[in-house]
């Protein structure tokens, strides 16, 4: 039997098939139908289902169940997305809608929790008992591995470490609160700060900083300093063995990691700082994690 996993993001919906040995056999993606409502999203998921079965030469009978990863808080028990601001999903009964469309049991998970599960199962957090996965993209996502298992929140809402307040009354966050870590440490922050200088997106700012442009350097250094404060606080809270960082910003490699490790070490309460590494499951982490929670 195989499992299907969806990673539903604000730009694309990616889907994949995982076999019983946890190998990702096939994947496909389609644009997220922005502004068209949840039924359009479910219909894209149905199209992806058909495509995957065709690619993998499978029938519906080969599929045991599906999982869906979403960028927001969830009601685990009822399979409802409570708030995913980037998708404009609020109290959306996604599991039920997908279950009807696919005629399979469907489980729901936060996207960063899915990524943490994948990294703990087959990636950079493999073998750890206490570790943290932080995804740095449009938002900041976080997944916690505690005692060797994904911690999905005390009330089943998932955890939202990206919305811990880093600066009291600070920059506006997409969630409506001011000063969240996400407003300072997401790739979007680099893009926003770089825009007045003519750079488009985080990568252009990082490239310019690497080439020695003083404005880009100062934006990048401030970003590293803020991200360092955030990670040091997470270290102080959980004393993890390892932190893995995912998301496009990691493409900066040692240009980001070297100053970041130094910054976190300076601010961490403990005598030694845990390892900070790059996540290894990349863009597939959400799909793999979503498959792993499927029946
Ligand atoms: C959401 C999280 C999500 C993260 C990454 C945040 O804005 O609140 O649930 O994990 O973005 O997508």
């Amino acid at each position: 039997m195989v499992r299907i996993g969806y990673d539903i993001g604000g730009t694309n919906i990616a889907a994949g098939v995982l076999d019983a040995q946890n190998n990702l056999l096939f994947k496909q993606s389609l644009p997220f139908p922005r502004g068209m409502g949840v039924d359009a999203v479910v219909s894209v998921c149905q199209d992806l289902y058909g495509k995957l079965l065709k690619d993998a030469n499978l029938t519906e009978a080969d599929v045991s169940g599906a999982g869906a990863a979403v960028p927001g808080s969830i009601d685990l028990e009822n399979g409802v997305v409570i708030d995913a601001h980037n998708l404009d999903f609020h109290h959306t009964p996604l599991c039920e809608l997908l279950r009807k469309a696919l005629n399979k049991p469907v489980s729901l998970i936060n996207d960063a929790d899915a990524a943490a599960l994948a990294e703990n199962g087959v990636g950079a957090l493999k073998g750890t008992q206490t570790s943290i996965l932080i995804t740095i993209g449009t938002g900041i996502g976080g997944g916690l591995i505690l005692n060797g298992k994904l911690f999905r929140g005390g009330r089943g809402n998932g955890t939202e470490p990206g919305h811990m307040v880093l600066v009291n009354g600070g920059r506006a966050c997409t969630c409506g609160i001011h000063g969240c870590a996400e407003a300072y440490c997401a790739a979007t922050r680099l893009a926003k700060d770089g825009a007045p200088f003519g750079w488009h997106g985080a990568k252009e700012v990082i490239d310019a900083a690497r080439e020695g442009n003083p404005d880009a350097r100062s934006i990048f250094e401030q970003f590293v300093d803020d991200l360092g404060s955030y990670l040091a606080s997470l270290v102080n809270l959980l004393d993890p063995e390892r932190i893995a960082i995912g998301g496009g910003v990691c493409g900066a490699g040692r240009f980001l990691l070297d100053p970041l490790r130094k910054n976190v070490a300076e601010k961490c309460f403990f005598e030694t700082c845990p390892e900070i590494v790059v996540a290894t499951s990349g863009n597939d982490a959400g799909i793999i994690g979503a498959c792993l929670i499927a029946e």
Side-chain angles (χ1 to χ4, degrees), residues 70-73 110-112 135 139-142 160 163 174 182:
V70 292
S73 56
N110 169 268
D111 59 353
T135 58
I140 291 282
E160 286 287 346
H163 297 281
T174 48
E182 177 163 312

Side-chain angles (χ1 to χ4, degrees), residues 51-241:
K51 278 177 190 286
L52 285 173
L53 290 184
K54 193 161 170 256
D55 287 354
N57 204 11
L58 295 166
T59 69
E60 289 187 16
D62 297 312
V63 180
S64 56
V70 292
S73 56
I74 60 176
D75 172 346
L76 188 58
E77 204 180 315
N78 296 305
V80 171
V81 182
I82 301 175
D83 278 312
H85 297 279
N86 199 17
L87 307 183
D88 203 17
F89 278 10
H90 305 282
H91 294 278
T92 306
L94 187 64
C95 266
E96 180 63 6
L97 295 171
L98 278 176
R99 191 188 59 72
K100 280 192 187 138
L102 307 178
N103 202 21
K104 294 286 168 190
V106 178
S107 311
L108 196 59
I109 189 167
N110 169 268
D111 59 353
D113 282 354
L117 203 55
E119 291 296 336
N120 190 226
V122 295
L125 300 179
K126 197 172 161 99
T128 58
Q129 292 294 308
T130 308
S131 52
I132 305 175
L133 181 273
I134 295 293
T135 58
I136 305 178
T138 312
I140 291 282
L144 312 178
I145 303 296
L146 302 182
N147 301 322
K149 283 174 71 178
L150 178 70
F151 176 66
R152 301 192 65 181
R155 294 170 299 157
N157 290 336
T159 56
E160 286 287 346
H163 297 281
M164 285 162 55
V165 175
L166 190 64
V167 179
N168 204 15
R171 293 180 177 213
C173 181
T174 48
C175 71
I177 294 169
H178 283 252
C180 294
E182 177 163 312
Y184 291 85
C185 305
T188 325
R189 186 263 172 98
L190 283 171
K192 265 191 196 150
D193 288 3
F197 298 92
W199 293 300
H200 301 284
K203 184 170 184 304
E204 282 194 18
V205 178
I206 295 174
D207 287 348
R210 205 197 290 270
E211 282 158 20
N213 179 291
D215 294 317
R217 267 194 180 262
S218 125
I219 293 171
F220 185 69
E221 279 163 15
Q222 189 57 56
F223 171 78
V224 170
D225 200 18
D226 290 335
L227 183 58
S229 299
Y230 174 54
L231 296 185
S233 300
L234 289 172
V235 169
N236 293 347
L237 181 69
L238 285 179
D239 182 26
E241 295 152 62

